[in-house]
């Protein structure tokens, strides 16, 4: 029993120390372009170790093998996200916010530049950016794409829900027109239910009116 547990504990402990190092306040985000790749490898190793231990008769050996395979898979996903993020930052307008969480990319587009007031038709300027996103999605095909519409709290909740859905579908339509398979895309609206800022100020409302494109690597 002791021999079976030891490799799991050693591997998990080493991985946790590495995660702590990456998330330490002294670690300056942005100085290491491969940070997300490394974090993906670490987290993949932890998950792989646990899975390998569960499915293997020799739990110690299973943890080691699972950790190696999980780390490799996590590193590959992190590396692809790092590369795609860097390419999108070069290609897209500065108004498009890009966040790399390590397991997904989140592109946030303000609705004030995506749509005219009360309209669900994408403006010509932002269509160009969406076509660039579509090109990127075709270069990185092993992902699922969620398009999520959000509004501020002005108007009725039912109207805002409908508007957010129509705007998410409009963005998804442009991505499919750009060559992305509709099977990869999930479009839905959240209405006013998920604000990122206060709806009591004009600036807060502006931030809440947005469409998010979430790029999720396939398992």
């Amino acid at each position: 029993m002791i021999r079976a547990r030891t490799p799991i504990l050693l591997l998990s402990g080493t991985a946790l120390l590495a995660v702590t190092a990456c998330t330490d306040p002294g670690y300056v985000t942005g100085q290491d372009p491969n940070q997300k790749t490394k974090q993906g490898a670490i987290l993949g190793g932890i998950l792989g170790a646990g899975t390998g231990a569960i499915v293997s008769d020799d739990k110690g050996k299973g943890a080691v093998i699972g950790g190696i395979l999980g780390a490799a898979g996590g590193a590959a996903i992190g590396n692809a996200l790092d590369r795609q993020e860097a390419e999108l930052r070069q290609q897209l307008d500065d108004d498009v916010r890009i966040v790399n969480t390590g397991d997904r990319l989140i592109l946030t587009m303000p609705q004030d530049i995506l749509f005219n007031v009360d309209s669900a038709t994408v403006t010509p300027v932002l269509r160009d950016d969406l076509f660039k996103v579509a090109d990127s999605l075709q270069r990185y095909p092993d992902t699922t794409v969620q398009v999520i519409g959000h509004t501020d709290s002005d108007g009725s909740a039912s109207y805002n829900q409908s508007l957010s859905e129509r705007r998410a579908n409009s963005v998804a339509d442009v991505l499919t027109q750009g060559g992305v398979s509709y099977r990869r895309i999930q479009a839905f609206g959240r209405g006013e239910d998920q604000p990122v800022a206060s709806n009591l100020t004009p600036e807060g409302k502006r931030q809440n009116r947005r469409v998010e494109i979430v790029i999720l690597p396939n398992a």
Side-chain angles (χ1 to χ4, degrees):
M1 295 297 293
I2 294 176
R3 287 191 299 171
R5 289 175 183 155
T6 301
I8 302 173
L9 293 174
L10 287 174
L11 182 59
S12 299
T14 303
L16 287 172
L17 285 173
V19 170
T20 303
C22 286
T23 56
D24 186 272
Y27 186 88
V28 180
T29 301
Q31 288 188 352
D32 184 357
N34 298 315
Q35 179 185 2
K36 296 297 189 301
T37 302
K38 294 173 181 177
Q39 290 176 345
I42 293 166
L43 294 174
I46 294 172
L47 295 175
T51 302
I54 291 171
V55 302
S56 175
D57 290 336
D58 186 337
K59 295 188 183 298
K61 185 184 294 183
V64 173
I65 295 172
I68 293 170
L69 295 177
I77 290 173
N79 180 260
L81 288 176
D82 286 341
R83 287 186 283 110
Q84 190 173 16
E85 175 194 9
E87 293 172 8
L88 287 170
R89 287 189 185 281
Q90 290 182 338
Q91 297 167 0
L92 299 181
D93 190 90
D94 290 339
D95 288 325
V96 180
R97 182 168 176 259
I98 302 173
V99 175
N100 185 344
T101 66
D103 65 346
R104 69 194 63 194
L105 291 180
I106 304 173
L107 282 60
T108 301
M109 296 185 166
Q111 289 193 13
D112 291 356
I113 60 175
L114 262 177
F115 306 99
N116 293 321
V117 177
D118 287 333
S119 171
T121 301
V122 177
T123 59
V125 173
L126 262 294
R127 284 179 69 89
D128 291 339
D129 271 347
L130 288 174
F131 282 137
K132 292 174 183 176
V133 174
D135 287 340
S136 176
L137 292 172
Q138 291 180 84
R139 289 195 300 275
Y140 297 87
D142 295 325
T143 57
T144 297
V145 184
Q146 294 180 345
V147 182
I148 311 169
H150 301 270
T151 71
D152 60 27
S153 62
D154 286 350
S156 69
S158 60
Y159 176 81
N160 288 334
Q161 177 62 35
S162 174
L163 180 63
S164 69
E165 291 172 2
R166 287 188 284 120
R167 287 180 165 179
N169 283 320
S170 292
V171 170
D173 286 344
V174 176
L175 294 179
T176 58
Q177 291 168 18
V180 183
S181 170
Y182 73 92
R183 294 183 180 87
R184 293 177 59 190
I185 301 176
Q186 304 165 352
F188 45 91
R190 296 301 190 199
E192 60 188 63
D193 291 341
Q194 295 182 349
V196 293
S198 171
N199 276 307
L200 299 178
T201 66
E203 174 58 23
K205 290 179 180 179
R206 187 190 68 79
Q207 293 181 52
N208 291 331
R209 296 189 297 267
R210 68 199 190 279
V211 171
E212 295 172 339
I213 300 175
V214 184
I215 302 171
L216 296 159
N218 296 330

